[in-house]
Amino acid sequence: MVELKTDASMDAMYEAGQVVGRALSAVRKAADVGVSLLELDEVARGVLREAGATSPFLGYRPSFAPTPFPAVICASVNDAIVHGIPTPYRLRDGDLVSIDCGAHLGGWAGDSAISFVVGEPRPADLRLIETAERALEAGIEAAVVGNRVGDIAHAIGSVCRAAGYGVPDGFGGHGIGRHMHEDPSVPNEGPPGRGLPLRHGLVLAIEPMLTGGGEDGYHAAPDGWTLRTDDGSRAAHVEHTVAITDGGPRVLTAR
């Protein structure tokens, strides 16, 4: 069931989204060579705690997961696409890191992700991240009243494919509101002009995921959560929570 939010509800979701934005900014600032993924998770926990927010990630267990998720961020490094569990792993020079974070505040959820390189970056990684960000921008630009969900998917996929990158099948964005995951699903590729019509009050988490080797294949790591590229290539993941409004798309997790 798709729930259209009132203007007051979208304002409340903006507050939750700003907590997520602050958490991601704090994690990005703390990320450096030698810092562990568990330490980055603690940074995000501190931001949520200070804001009086809770984590929709912590304890989350969808049907595919063997165990509840144990952290407030997903920390995916190098060939990990999404859902990486924070571990004692310490970041190394040149690591490509994707951080996904959510927050519940006042009964509403926010969800966002960033990708960046620690230390000296490889040009190929910078291009991959830049393309992911352009794909996100294209998806947001398509998130307007009168379009359909398929127009968002087509905008994202067109940017990714034109750059020669892979798009993992079956994973993408989603509706968001009182819960982190709501209807509808928002694919990262597909034909335009199809799917649910976009109306004022619909709020979506738009999240491109790109694989650098150009192949779409992925597999679950032994932890049952982390998704890794089949070809070992690096991946990038970016995301914003976006409200569809009569005045145009409103990015609720803008940093």
Side-chain angles (χ1 to χ4, degrees), residues 73-88:
I73 62 170
C74 296
S76 306
V77 181
N78 295 333
D79 67 326
I81 306 168
V82 288
H83 302 162
I85 295 176
T87 67

Side-chain angles (χ1 to χ4, degrees), residues 91-111:
L91 295 171
R92 301 171 183 172
D93 187 48
D95 276 348
L96 195 166
V97 184
S98 297
I99 302 292
D100 194 353
C101 185
H104 266 133
L105 183 71
W108 297 99
D111 190 9

Side-chain angles (χ1 to χ4, degrees), residues 34-176:
V35 175
S36 76
L37 301 181
L38 283 174
E39 289 170 336
L40 296 182
D41 186 65
E42 284 299 324
V43 169
R45 287 176 189 251
V47 174
L48 296 183
R49 188 164 51 245
E50 182 179 353
T54 59
S55 170
F57 290 18
L58 185 62
Y60 180 59
R61 189 179 183 182
S63 59
F64 68 80
T67 58
F69 197 76
V72 305
I73 62 170
C74 296
S76 306
V77 181
N78 295 333
D79 67 326
I81 306 168
V82 288
H83 302 162
I85 295 176
T87 67
Y89 175 83
R90 294 192 176 277
L91 295 171
R92 301 171 183 172
D93 187 48
D95 276 348
L96 195 166
V97 184
S98 297
I99 302 292
D100 194 353
C101 185
H104 266 133
L105 183 71
W108 297 99
D111 190 9
S112 187
I114 57 174
S115 288
F116 55 88
V117 177
V118 172
E120 186 66 26
R122 304 179 185 180
D125 289 344
L126 294 180
R127 179 174 175 268
L128 178 65
I129 294 169
E130 187 270 337
T131 304
E133 292 172 345
R134 282 197 295 111
L136 177 57
E137 291 172 1
I140 293 171
E141 288 175 359
V144 296
V145 172
N147 274 356
R148 292 177 176 266
V149 167
D151 295 306
I152 298 175
H154 180 72
I156 293 171
S158 296
V159 172
C160 299
R161 294 301 187 187
Y165 295 126
V167 180
D169 184 47
F171 285 87
H174 49 87
I176 184 171

Side-chain angles (χ1 to χ4, degrees), residues 3-11 108 200-201:
E3 177 191 5
L4 297 179
K5 280 69 177 180
T6 65
D7 290 349
S9 296
M10 288 188 282
D11 287 342
W108 297 99
H200 180 90

